Amino acid sequence: MIEVIEPATEQVMAKVERAGAGDVDEAVARAKDAFGGWRAIAPGKRAEHLHALADAVASHREELALIEARNAGKPIGDARGEMEMVSQVFRYYAGAPERLLGDTIPVDGGHAFTVREPLGVVGLIVPWNFPLTIASWKMGPALAAGNTVVLKPAELTPLSALRFAEIAGEAGLPDGVLNVVAGPGSVCGQRLVEHPDVAKIAFTGSTEVGRSIAAGAAATIKRVTLELGGKSPNIVFADADLEAAAAAAPGAVFGNAGQDCCARSRILVQAPVLDEFMSLLEGAVKAIKVGDPLDASTQMGPLISAGQRETVSSFVNGDAPVAIRGSAPDGPGYWFPPTVLCPVDPGARAAREEIFGPVATVIPFSDEDEAVRLANDTVYGLSGSIWTRDGARALRVARALDTGVLSINSNTSVRVATPFGGFKQSGYGRELGPHALDAYTEVKSIYYANG
């Protein structure tokens, strides 16, 4: 059995049957059997099923948010927003089945055109930081394109996926189209990657695990989408609105207790305004309310586990240049206060490794060229922000950064209608927006001779 721990209390909140390789095989078989019927459903009817999923999530929003808040330790307000996004994802992709368009191509002697075909059974492996949200990013386009899915949630946070599968069945999704297996990645995830009847793996998680998935999938030439780690820059130029930049920075790195691959955990500040920025940042950090995820006023909850807290703590040792430290509760729970290190050498471990916790590093820079060089000096390239009043500079820097998702004078990373994904070792492929459908379909070229 899997004992599911509530990170705010360290108590067991549920026990779930632990799936094994045999359970994965059974789930894949169900998905394979269901694939023919699901792909044959008329596009409009498939769209109706996705609208029904969106409606079902909306009607169960509070229930699912409570599960997510307790299981993942996220503030209830954030969890409600995430469940709203899940509903929006299915609503967005409900428009896709009737818009999977092909091309007609001029050729000699006949007619040529392309169509998009579903891949088949798709394995979806999702992390513990945004359990149902990230699952929806994959399920929406996969189902819209006519695939069937086997979803493996993280062993730490399986509850929202299991409840969602029940809700989907109640909403009329045909049997076998969505299957959930809750078990360890080393067993269930590996079996999905190796299984000959799985056509594609979509994975969100660490870069280390992503490498092993890419290698394992190569044996059967599986299609793979990888959304991996990040060490994203938040670049603040001297001409920026410093009050706005400092007010926004904590949310960009301490949201979800810093357990976010998009976290802008490297704050690059132009040297002449470093002291002013830090003064403004201190008030914003110390104002963050860390506490009970079920309290509506809470802004940051606990870390996911004792192990994660130990890892994060290793970056804030006796030699760390702690400039700002917020507060966190005492007693049970995997708490860690929001912490800012400044100044940090660009080569320091805290500036180079993904901490995945509420620790920000502040690195001074001299000019635009150095800002770009420092921002790009990482194996990652997922997200980032640029703060400046100079529009030409903003666009120059945005084009120069090796990063998949950027925002100017804001810290937005994810929107349902726009593509999301990384450069370099932050992964490949795109989720969300219209581009996600490319990863769940194959282009077929058809030639029809004149006679």
Side-chain angles (χ1 to χ4, degrees):
M1 297 293 288
I2 299 172
E3 289 192 340
V4 181
I5 305 298
E6 188 169 1
T9 65
E10 302 185 42
Q11 298 298 308
V12 176
M13 64 177 288
K15 293 184 179 182
V16 173
E17 194 74 33
R18 178 180 276 108
D23 299 293
V24 173
D25 290 346
E26 292 176 7
V28 171
R30 289 193 299 271
K32 185 179 180 181
D33 288 345
F35 173 61
W38 180 245
R39 76 178 299 185
I41 289 177
K45 183 65 176 176
R46 197 181 308 141
E48 289 177 10
H49 279 295
L50 289 166
H51 277 299
L53 287 179
D55 291 340
V57 171
S59 66
H60 289 83
R61 177 188 174 197
E62 193 65 20
E63 175 194 359
L64 290 168
L66 184 61
I67 291 171
E68 211 80 317
R70 293 187 63 200
N71 193 180
K74 57 181 73 251
I76 187 65
D78 292 354
R80 288 170 178 145
E82 289 174 25
M83 294 311 102
E84 183 176 346
M85 185 184 207
V86 172
S87 181
Q88 290 171 352
V89 168
F90 287 115
R91 189 81 65 205
Y92 179 86
Y93 286 107
E98 296 174 296
R99 293 167 178 80
L100 289 171
L101 307 179
D103 300 301
T104 56
I105 303 170
V107 294
D108 292 335
H111 302 273
F113 60 97
T114 63
V115 295
R116 287 195 168 273
E117 303 285 12
L119 300 173
V121 179
V122 175
L124 311 178
I125 304 174
V126 300
W128 46 258
N129 56 337
F130 296 95
L132 192 57
T133 306
I134 290 178
S136 75
W137 298 357
K138 304 177 193 306
M139 288 189 289
L143 295 174
N147 303 284
T148 53
V149 303
V150 178
L151 170 64
K152 196 208 83 65
E155 198 171 8
L156 289 170
T157 54
L159 300 183
S160 58
L162 291 167
R163 180 64 184 120
F164 173 78
E166 295 173 347
I167 291 170
E170 295 164 3
L173 194 68
D175 290 344
V177 171
L178 167 63
N179 308 270
V180 177
V181 287
S186 60
V187 177
C188 297
Q190 182 174 338
R191 181 55 184 155
L192 275 174
V193 171
E194 295 173 349
H195 201 296
D197 290 334
V198 174
K200 174 190 171 67
I201 294 291
F203 170 77
T204 297
S206 72
T207 296
E208 180 183 7
V209 175
R211 290 190 194 104
S212 68
I213 286 176
T220 49
I221 319 297
K222 281 183 175 56
R223 280 63 178 146
V224 180
T225 297
L226 299 175
E227 195 269 283
L228 307 176
K231 193 68 179 176
S232 300
N234 186 357
I235 305 173
V236 181
F237 286 98
D239 68 342
D241 182 337
L242 295 182
E243 290 188 3
V253 66
F254 301 136
N256 207 45
Q259 300 168 127
D260 184 351
C261 52
C262 292
R264 271 77 161 168
S265 56
R266 290 186 300 149
I267 306 175
L268 309 182
V269 183
Q270 199 157 16
V273 296
L274 177 60
D275 290 344
E276 182 182 356
F277 178 83
M278 291 298 292
S279 177
L280 293 166
L281 183 64
E282 182 173 13
V285 171
K286 290 189 173 180
I288 295 172
K289 182 178 178 182
V290 182
D292 180 4
L294 303 186
D295 184 333
S297 65
T298 293
Q299 296 170 291
M300 190 181 109
L303 293 168
I304 189 67
S305 67
Q308 189 64 20
R309 182 172 59 186
E310 183 177 349
T311 298
V312 174
S313 297
S314 71
F315 290 89
V316 188
N317 54 32
D319 298 326
V322 176
I324 305 170
R325 194 192 301 267
S327 60
D330 297 321
Y334 306 121
W335 308 104
F336 198 94
T339 303
V340 179
L341 308 181
C342 177
V344 177
D345 185 278
R349 175 173 170 247
R352 304 200 68 79
E353 296 182 20
E354 185 176 31
I355 298 174
F356 225 63
V359 178
T361 60
V362 177
I363 303 169
F365 68 88
S366 59
D367 56 21
E368 183 178 319
D369 288 343
E370 186 181 25
V372 171
R373 180 179 62 78
L374 290 172
N376 284 339
D377 186 21
T378 173
V379 299
Y380 300 111
L382 186 55
S383 62
S385 298
I386 302 160
W387 293 81
T388 177
R389 288 186 172 95
D390 185 333
R393 169 188 281 158
L395 293 177
R396 280 196 309 271
V397 174
R399 293 302 302 270
L401 295 184
D402 301 327
T403 301
V405 182
L406 280 165
S407 55
I408 296 169
N409 295 329
S410 78
N411 292 317
T412 300
S413 288
V414 181
R415 296 180 183 276
V416 173
T418 59
F420 174 77
F423 285 22
K424 300 189 285 187
Q425 292 188 36
S426 285
Y428 48 76
R430 291 296 179 266
E431 298 190 302
L432 299 174
H435 299 75
L437 293 161
D438 295 343
Y440 293 97
T441 57
E442 293 278 26
V443 175
K444 179 183 289 181
S445 181
I446 301 173
Y447 173 74
Y448 197 125
N450 281 337

